[in-house]
Amino acid sequence: MAITATGVGSGLDIDGLVTQLMAAERAPLDRRLLKRETNITSDISALGSLKSALADFKATLPAANSLSTYQQRNTSSTSTAVGVGATSRAALGAYSVSVEGLAKAQSVAVRDTFVSPASEVGTGTLTFTFGTTGYTPDASTPVNNQNDTYDSFVAKAGLASKTVTITNSDSSLSGVRDAINRANIGVSAAVINDGSGYRLVLSSESMGAENSFQVTVADSGDSNNTDGNGLSRLAFNSVVGTTNVYQTVAASDATFTVNGLPLTSDKNTVVDAIDGLTLSLNETTTANATLTVTDNEAGIKSAITAFVDGYNSFNTAINNLTGFDASTGTGGSLQGDFTARSIKSQLRATIGAAALGSSGTFTRLAEIGITTTNAGALEIDDTKLSAALESNFDDVTAVLTRFADKPIDSGLSNITFTDTVARGTYAVAITSLATSGRIEETVASAGFPKTIDGSTDGFVVTVDGTASGTVALTNQSYASLSAIATEMQTKINADATLRAAGKGVTVTVSGDDIEIRSNSVGSSSSVALANAGSDTTIAALGLTLATATAGTDLVGTIGGVAGVADGNVLTGAAASGAAGLSVDVSSTTGGNITVSDGVVDQLDALLAAFLATDSAIDSRVTNLQERAEGIVDERAALELRLDAIEARYRRKFNALDSLLSEISGSGAMVADQLANIPIPGQTKK
């Protein structure tokens, strides 16, 4: 690039002049761009603050907008002896519970002691059979367990015996322990040092009177299964009695009462005594414990308070963004902004609106004690809210969240619905309820008494597709059909396989007619009987020609369309408007289910729309960002334009500089010429 010097000829400060002119040229243009850029940045920041305030408000809604908050049950107990938990199915109220005895697992100890855990015991097989043990401990003082007696053992129906093989590698005391534990048969073994030596202790892993065990031994060491040597030392059954092993803890069921009704359980955690409640029997009681089930009033109020506080924080934030401070004369960054005004207006309108689709006693927030102050904030009248919850709990729920209402005494309960179920009324019409599978037969009373012996005592019953083990009736003479029915129901429902599958039956007698009915309902409900092995039990009982009838599902419609039934649960058909709506049915009364949208649910949906990626706020921000990017392009174009202007100024000043330089040179020459012109009368020096 050539080196140039400006203003040399004329002495003009061309650089200074151009710099000042360009500064004057640039200043208004820069100010306009900067102002636009500042405004855009301010708007983006303000809209971001608005969106953040909306998101913070929305985050306070989940508890108040969750049906589980209102359906939750709170429980208390007046005694640590009985704990209680509840699901939403539990009825509100109080229950009086006493505990007479806790369920226990059987534990037995081998009498022989050993020098060390490595001491030799023996080899062979141990066979464990589970059932009910009749055992009488010594009653003298002091107790002498040598006088204990083994009275009886009744194997548990349907539960096969378990065998543990003891090889040479397992023949030590610790090896026997490890082999039993490794077999995972429901019995745990431990080696205990009682001060005089080491002995083996065996314990059932399941509580309950039916879950004790007997042990028979096939002693391969000395081929004597009942003596006090080798593996025989672990035998515990009616043949050897308590000679080698004695019982230290008797297996027992928990015995307790609920409101005076005696009950038993093979566990100390009872889930089937009271619908929706779980009882924890911790210790026996000297006085009845009172269990109280209440609604979740404290949790509901906490959820409402969180919602109100969230709205008030948002209200403060949006007032700051859109308001005007008269004392300082400054307005909020979104003062007059249409989007902010629209959002504020829509939220306030929803706050004051009614629950959509609800026609209960309460339909608006103000009616349950949530009102708006003159400043636009919300406040809670706790007295009014408590009264509303006390007088009409369901209507309060409907005011706040999505709710499904139903007629009283309609036989409809436990309504569930997904988010896809639209607000509206769905007619439920029930043609018939579900039925249970059953078998029926007439057994003439003239055939009694009936004697059941070893060839006619075993049968297998299949309930809802699950086959029991061998159900063995007690060998005795039965005086009546009712006596046999009682025995059959007891033994069938005691079967381990059926109990594990949650299956059971009810056996009833009406005159000469006996019925064995599944405790379940629906198309999967069924009962079938078969002889066990070579037994002829079915014929002996007179049930050879018993009629089997399969269970049926209920028949009904939801919203005028045939629903999908599972037992007595009816669900809206997949292609219908009621898809996702499900209800338990207990009568053919039917009625209308009304699904409504509470105020908090409406707010949640509105906020979700405001915060969506295609919302007005995001569209505004995107547009502003594009405008900000446009300013960058304008700055680049401005620089090119100013460069051109500066170049033009410099050309003109340089031309002026040249002209002035020429004029200055011509003036000097003329002055020299004039100085050399002779002047008459003047003597030249």
Side-chain angles (χ1 to χ4, degrees), residues 295-559:
D295 58 42
N296 188 33
E297 181 173 337
I300 292 168
K301 287 185 174 181
S302 176
I304 291 173
T305 298
F307 147 62
V308 168
D309 289 346
Y311 177 78
N312 289 342
S313 295
F314 168 78
N315 187 60
T316 298
I318 199 167
N319 284 343
N320 290 336
L321 289 169
T322 60
F324 178 80
D325 188 341
S327 63
T328 61
T330 59
S333 51
L334 290 179
Q335 184 184 16
D337 183 87
F338 172 78
T339 301
R341 290 202 314 270
S342 175
I343 288 173
K344 183 177 181 180
S345 175
Q346 290 181 69
L347 288 174
R348 286 188 173 178
T350 303
I351 289 288
L356 299 176
S358 176
S359 57
T361 304
F362 309 124
T363 59
R364 299 176 186 273
L365 292 179
E367 294 169 349
I368 62 173
I370 305 171
T371 56
T372 305
T373 67
N374 292 333
L378 293 178
E379 62 181 4
I380 302 171
D381 183 334
D382 186 70
T383 301
K384 191 171 184 178
L385 178 58
S386 296
L389 287 168
E390 179 71 24
S391 66
N392 205 319
F393 189 91
D394 284 351
D395 280 357
V396 174
T397 304
V399 168
L400 293 161
T401 190
R402 293 197 85 206
F403 184 70
D405 195 16
K406 64 185 186 301
I408 298 174
D409 298 327
S410 63
L412 307 178
S413 62
N414 298 318
I415 302 170
T416 61
F417 52 93
T418 63
D419 290 339
T420 60
V421 178
R423 181 179 68 253
T425 299
Y426 301 85
V428 178
I430 306 300
T431 302
S432 61
L433 294 175
T435 62
S436 299
R438 63 192 184 279
I439 57 174
E440 302 166 287
E441 179 61 289
T442 299
V443 182
S445 57
F448 287 88
K450 286 183 182 290
T451 299
I452 299 298
D453 57 28
S455 65
T456 60
D457 64 351
F459 63 91
V460 175
V461 59
T462 300
V463 182
D464 304 347
T466 298
S468 70
T470 298
V471 178
L473 301 177
T474 302
N475 288 187
Q476 64 181 36
S477 176
Y478 292 88
S480 65
L481 185 59
S482 293
I484 283 183
T486 300
E487 173 75 357
M488 290 184 71
Q489 178 173 310
T490 300
K491 290 298 180 66
I492 291 172
N493 290 338
D495 179 78
T497 304
L498 295 179
R499 291 180 66 176
K503 307 299 181 183
V505 301
T506 299
V507 185
T508 58
V509 170
S510 177
D512 289 347
D513 296 329
I514 184 171
E515 176 188 83
I516 305 174
R517 179 184 293 269
S518 169
N519 289 341
S520 70
V521 296
S523 56
S524 62
S525 177
S526 63
V527 178
L529 284 178
N531 289 311
S534 60
D535 282 354
T536 57
T537 307
I538 305 305
L541 294 174
L543 300 176
T544 305
L545 301 178
T547 301
T549 304
T552 60
D553 292 320
L554 71 81
V555 178
T557 61
I558 299 182

Side-chain angles (χ1 to χ4, degrees), residues 269-311:
T269 299
V270 185
V271 298
D272 53 3
I274 306 172
D275 187 31
L277 291 187
T278 297
L279 306 183
S280 298
L281 309 182
N282 302 320
E283 55 186 273
T284 57
T285 57
T286 55
N288 285 11
T290 299
L291 311 182
T292 305
V293 182
T294 59
D295 58 42
N296 188 33
E297 181 173 337
I300 292 168
K301 287 185 174 181
S302 176
I304 291 173
T305 298
F307 147 62
V308 168
D309 289 346
Y311 177 78

Side-chain angles (χ1 to χ4, degrees), residues 81-296:
V82 185
V84 59
T87 69
S88 60
R89 297 177 67 95
L92 303 181
Y95 304 88
S96 179
V97 178
S98 66
V99 182
E100 286 71 45
L102 296 178
K104 296 179 182 178
Q106 184 191 39
S107 185
V108 301
V110 176
R111 291 191 184 277
D112 270 12
T113 58
F114 297 82
V115 174
S116 76
S119 298
E120 185 73 10
V121 178
T123 59
T125 58
L126 303 171
T127 299
F128 293 82
T129 303
F130 296 88
T132 304
T133 300
Y135 191 95
T136 303
D138 180 49
S140 60
T141 304
V143 172
N144 182 358
N145 56 52
Q146 294 285 352
N147 297 327
D148 291 359
T149 59
Y150 192 113
D151 302 321
S152 63
F153 183 81
V154 178
K156 189 173 182 178
L159 187 60
S161 297
K162 307 293 177 65
T163 299
V164 179
T165 300
I166 307 300
T167 65
N168 289 329
S169 62
D170 301 318
S171 60
S172 68
L173 186 62
S174 60
V176 172
R177 174 200 63 196
D178 295 342
I180 294 172
N181 291 336
R182 190 167 56 244
N184 193 27
I185 59 170
V187 173
S188 62
V191 174
I192 304 296
N193 185 349
D194 65 0
S196 62
Y198 294 87
R199 66 169 67 195
L200 192 68
V201 173
L202 305 176
S203 301
S204 174
E205 293 179 351
S206 298
M207 297 180 185
E210 285 189 330
N211 294 315
S212 64
F213 57 87
Q214 70 170 12
V215 185
T216 57
V217 179
D219 192 340
S220 61
D222 60 8
S223 299
N224 188 328
N225 300 328
T226 60
D227 65 4
N229 300 310
L231 203 63
S232 300
R233 286 175 284 188
L234 275 63
F236 180 65
N237 52 61
S238 58
V239 175
V240 297
T242 66
T243 302
N244 299 334
V245 178
Y246 66 97
Q247 182 173 274
T248 56
V249 179
S252 63
D253 289 335
T255 54
F256 61 104
T257 65
V258 175
N259 291 347
L261 178 67
L263 299 170
T264 63
S265 170
D266 61 0
K267 298 179 180 63
N268 290 321
T269 299
V270 185
V271 298
D272 53 3
I274 306 172
D275 187 31
L277 291 187
T278 297
L279 306 183
S280 298
L281 309 182
N282 302 320
E283 55 186 273
T284 57
T285 57
T286 55
N288 285 11
T290 299
L291 311 182
T292 305
V293 182
T294 59
D295 58 42
N296 188 33

Side-chain angles (χ1 to χ4, degrees), residues 26-39:
R26 177 187 292 275
L29 300 176
D30 275 348
R31 281 196 298 272
R32 284 198 297 272
L33 288 177
L34 181 60
K35 182 177 181 180
R36 287 170 54 199
E37 187 175 50
T38 300
N39 289 341

